[in-house]
């Protein structure tokens, strides 16, 4: 994986925007190796990985997982 600073403005063939991390956070957060991409990690305020979500995520889906982790759902 190559980590690039900045924001990708257009990925062909359709225009999508996303932020790319300048540094790989795997070591800092002791992230487990992922067998698939994309992967989303939910990390708590103490730096502990709480969830590893595989595949595409929606804002609603991530919000729902956050509510469950907080004991609200």
């Amino acid at each position: 994986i190559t980590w690039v600073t900045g924001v990708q403005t257009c990925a062909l063939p359709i225009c999508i925007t996303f932020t790319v991390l300048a540094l790989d956070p795997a070591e800092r957060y002791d992230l487990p190796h992922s067998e698939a991409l994309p992967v989303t990690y939910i990390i708590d305020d103490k730096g502990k990985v709480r969830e590893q979500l595989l595949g595409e995520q929606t804002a609603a889906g991530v919000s729902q997982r956050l509510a469950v982790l907080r004991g609200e759902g």
Side-chain angles (χ1 to χ4, degrees):
I1 297 175
T2 301
W3 299 94
V4 180
T5 302
V7 175
Q8 182 76 16
T9 58
C10 187
L12 299 176
I14 60 173
C15 195
I16 56 173
T17 60
F18 54 92
T19 301
V20 178
L21 300 176
L23 299 172
D24 183 350
E27 186 175 331
R28 177 179 178 181
Y29 293 110
D30 195 27
L31 298 178
H33 178 72
S34 177
E35 297 296 326
L37 292 175
V39 62
T40 300
Y41 295 99
I42 298 177
I43 300 171
D44 68 17
D45 59 347
K46 294 176 179 54
K48 179 182 174 189
V49 175
R50 299 289 305 273
E51 290 279 335
Q52 179 184 27
L53 308 173
L54 297 177
E56 294 181 30
Q57 304 300 315
T58 64
V62 172
S63 293
Q64 183 179 30
R65 287 305 307 149
L66 290 170
V68 169
L69 290 169
R70 290 184 191 120
E72 301 168 357

